[in-house]
Amino acid sequence: AFKLIWHNDASVRQELQTVFIQVYFTDGAKEHAKLLSPREIAINLTHVIASCEDVHLTSLEEILGELSAQPSLVGFDFLPLEEWLQALLDLGLHPPTTPLTNDRSVSYLSAGMYAISMLTARTHEKHVDVLVQFVPNLLSAGLGEDVLNKRDLDTIRYTIAAVTKIYKMFQVAVEKKGGATLTASLNPALLQDALISMQKVITWAVFLSNDTVTQAWFSTCEEAIQAIFQLHESPEVVMDRIIHFVHASLFAEPASSVATAEEAEAPAEWTCTQSQLAAFFFILGQTAVNIVVYVEDIAAKVKRRLRENIESGKTVGHEGDKAPTAGAENNISDFEEQMGVAAAMDAEHDQEVHVLIEKELVLSNLLGAFLPLVTYVAANDQRQFSAPVLHDTAVLTLCRFATVSSVACEQSLPLIFTILERQVSNAGLRTTITVALGDLAFRFPNTFEPWTNHLYARLSDDNVDVRYNSLVVITHLVLNDMIKVKGQVSHVAM
């Protein structure tokens, strides 16, 4: 029933929210229903999160997001938001004796953090002060020493997500008030401690020992890297330091004496496992994607600031002037000259950013230094990288590098399509590649155009999931005029 939150009819969505409140927030009475205690509501939410299948969690997140986005709602007016959040936190720290029944080993703390993350996604702006005041308790419970020592990846991931949303919401609220101080304020020291904890989580890559733990770490690492790029003032410096540390830890030479000159010239054997190498590739891929978004965001802000500075100097006569004067004509001429300068500056600025993204981010800098290694592992010509998690991650990282630069995209497309054809028994990887190809086609349509027929060929794939995702990708590309409809689409009707 949760999927009804996506219904086009607003009345259907509203009825679902009403039923959701009645079932999980009240005693369920048809008339004069009473609101449950904060702890009882917290227990209900954690149980529904634990029992939900992954496909339904997105709908649940949308429901709670819709509820929290409303300024007036049962559970916010009759039950203060701070009591609700604290109840979810206390439930995780002091859980009931009866454990949660689920197949994903979800704890009360991780489920509670997930619920908090859902609630903070779109909380109404009037509750920003409440959320900011809640941050110290949130960080203490979700990123404290006990959680980090246990390496509770789910709890850490949801805590990072919630903290990032609160900090971004706080920044937006400050900007809306024109720099005015809110009732609550964020402690810079707390943010610094949280960022240090996030960096620590990323560097756990050097300790990963098996594929299962590595795959669980991927989601938490992704959340941590995104948070660093959104919250840290110099994320590129932080990620540079992390990449250097992980590389030095995984590729250190064996601590043994060398007896002969021949042995000294021989390459040192790697000391990392395939799971650790997969984790390192994942860090590289996530950094590449986030840094291009970061650069484009900064470039847009700089461009906007330059234009504002130019426009702020324009003067076009006085309102009281009844007829154009020589001074007014000069002002108009000056304005036109300023607009010409602005256009020239915009073009120059765009060209500089284009060169930076195309040639610097993943070709000439630290990330580019590892592109040959990523390509070698993804190609796997010698069949020496047998671990699925390593090969799949290498291919995904290669796709992410290609998404950043059209040069890298043009170089990588032949290998990516070759891998796509080879992976006869790995439908999951074919699906991943197909989705990634959609991103490449959207970002670099001219570079991708010669390969369009190969993408259409996925419509006749043996696996239904691959065919479905191919159809979705192609549909989006066609509707956005990125590719043209071709005869292969007839496979959909066959």
Side-chain angles (χ1 to χ4, degrees):
F2 288 169
K3 64 182 180 181
L4 290 176
I5 194 63
W6 308 105
H7 201 281
N8 292 330
D9 191 337
S11 63
V12 174
R13 299 196 301 272
Q14 183 61 47
E15 182 64 23
L16 174 62
Q17 294 173 19
T18 302
V19 173
F20 186 89
I21 292 172
Q22 183 179 14
V23 172
Y24 296 108
F25 292 7
T26 72
D27 59 7
K30 293 183 178 180
E31 296 182 0
H32 308 294
K34 294 182 179 180
L35 195 68
L36 298 174
S37 68
R39 186 173 177 85
E40 289 174 319
I41 294 177
I43 291 175
N44 285 346
L45 288 179
T46 53
H47 275 278
V48 73
I49 287 174
S51 61
C52 263
E53 297 180 4
D54 291 340
V55 69
H56 296 140
L57 285 174
T58 303
S59 298
L60 177 61
E61 186 170 351
E62 181 68 14
I63 293 173
L64 291 177
E66 286 282 345
L67 295 179
S68 63
Q70 300 179 22
S72 179
L73 175 74
V74 58
F76 284 91
D77 287 349
F78 300 107
L79 174 61
L81 177 60
E82 58 268 29
E83 291 187 22
W84 192 357
L85 297 175
Q86 191 61 47
L88 287 165
L89 209 57
D90 291 340
L91 183 66
L93 297 175
H94 308 287
T97 55
T98 305
L100 284 172
T101 303
N102 61 89
D103 298 329
R104 295 177 294 144
S105 301
V106 177
S107 66
Y108 278 103
L109 183 57
S110 62
M113 285 298 180
Y114 195 7
I116 292 172
S117 174
M118 292 179 182
L119 291 169
T120 55
R122 286 179 291 176
T123 301
H124 194 269
E125 60 183 12
K126 82 172 191 176
H127 299 299
V128 172
D129 285 332
V130 173
L131 294 176
V132 170
Q133 293 170 356
F134 183 66
V135 166
N137 293 343
L138 184 65
L139 291 175
S140 176
L143 287 178
E145 289 187 9
D146 185 54
V147 173
L148 292 175
N149 290 337
K150 291 180 179 177
R151 298 192 178 177
D152 187 345
L153 294 173
D154 285 339
T155 298
I156 294 170
R157 171 160 56 106
Y158 300 138
T159 302
I160 293 174
V163 170
T164 303
K165 292 168 185 174
I166 293 174
Y167 271 85
K168 297 299 289 184
M169 194 180 302
F170 175 78
Q171 292 173 354
V172 171
V174 171
E175 291 175 0
K176 281 186 176 181
K177 293 196 174 187
T181 305
L182 297 174
T183 303
S185 60
L186 290 168
N187 186 341
L190 280 178
L191 176 59
Q192 186 64 27
D193 291 342
L195 288 168
I196 291 174
S197 297
M198 296 175 197
Q199 296 172 48
K200 182 178 181 180
V201 170
I202 298 172
T203 59
W204 284 350
V206 302
F207 303 112
L208 298 174
S209 57
N210 60 71
D211 291 358
T212 302
V213 176
T214 302
Q215 289 175 331
W217 171 85
F218 281 163
S219 299
T220 306
C221 176
E222 179 180 4
E223 202 70 57
I225 292 177
Q226 289 177 352
I228 288 174
F229 273 94
Q230 293 185 51
L231 303 180
H232 201 282
E233 58 183 9
S234 302
E236 73 284 2
V237 176
V238 174
M239 294 311 303
D240 177 87
R241 186 166 58 245
I242 290 175
I243 291 172
H244 272 102
F245 170 79
V246 175
H247 173 261
S249 301
L250 298 185
F251 299 97
E253 294 185 9
S256 59
S257 59
V258 179
T260 65
E262 289 78 8
E263 291 175 343
E265 294 177 358
E269 294 183 0
W270 291 352
T271 59
C272 68
T273 65
Q274 295 201 32
S275 295
Q276 292 169 335
L277 185 57
F280 181 58
F281 285 168
F282 187 85
I283 294 173
L284 295 175
Q286 280 298 127
T287 302
V289 171
N290 280 276
I291 201 167
V292 71
V293 174
Y294 175 72
V295 168
E296 290 178 345
D297 182 56
I298 291 180
K301 291 179 180 178
V302 171
K303 186 176 179 179
R304 185 168 58 250
R305 182 65 59 87
L306 289 173
R307 182 168 285 277
E308 288 174 355
N309 290 340
I310 293 175
E311 292 179 353
S312 63
K314 70 176 185 291
T315 54
V316 190
H318 298 286
E319 293 181 1
D321 294 341
K322 296 182 179 180
T325 63
E329 292 177 355
N330 289 335
N331 286 334
I332 294 174
S333 177
D334 290 342
F335 172 68
E336 292 175 345
E337 181 179 353
Q338 289 173 354
M339 290 300 96
V341 171
M345 292 181 64
D346 284 349
E348 182 180 357
H349 177 74
D350 291 342
Q351 180 62 25
E352 291 176 352
V353 174
H354 177 75
V355 171
L356 173 64
I357 294 176
E358 287 290 299
K359 298 182 179 180
E360 297 293 331
L361 291 187
V362 296
L363 293 178
S364 302
N365 66 357
L366 178 63
L367 295 175
F370 297 106
L371 181 55
L373 176 60
V374 173
T375 303
Y376 178 75
V377 176
N380 197 19
D381 291 329
Q382 306 299 323
R383 301 292 188 270
Q384 60 190 112
F385 304 108
S386 57
V389 68
L390 172 58
H391 185 248
D392 292 2
T393 305
V395 174
L396 180 59
T397 301
L398 180 64
C399 292
R400 285 172 171 166
F401 273 50
T403 305
V404 175
S405 165
S406 63
V407 177
C409 178
E410 186 173 3
Q411 294 174 352
S412 303
L413 276 175
L415 176 58
I416 292 174
F417 277 104
T418 299
I419 296 171
L420 183 61
E421 294 295 332
R422 285 180 181 174
Q423 297 299 316
V424 179
S425 60
N426 192 343
L429 181 57
R430 295 205 305 278
T431 299
T432 300
I433 294 175
T434 301
V435 175
L437 289 173
D439 295 333
L440 294 177
F442 199 90
R443 187 164 175 83
F444 307 116
N446 294 333
T447 303
F448 189 84
E449 198 277 334
W451 300 92
T452 304
N453 289 337
H454 296 276
L455 179 60
Y456 271 103
R458 291 301 101 199
L459 292 174
S460 57
D461 194 280
D462 294 336
N463 184 274
V464 63
D465 291 332
V466 178
R467 293 199 301 272
Y468 170 78
N469 283 280
S470 300
L471 179 60
V472 172
V473 167
I474 291 173
T475 299
H476 282 293
L477 292 174
V478 170
L479 292 177
N480 286 279
D481 202 25
M482 293 292 105
I483 63 174
K484 297 179 180 179
V485 178
K486 296 194 175 183
Q488 293 95 326
V489 79
S490 61
H491 289 294
V492 177
M494 296 175 64

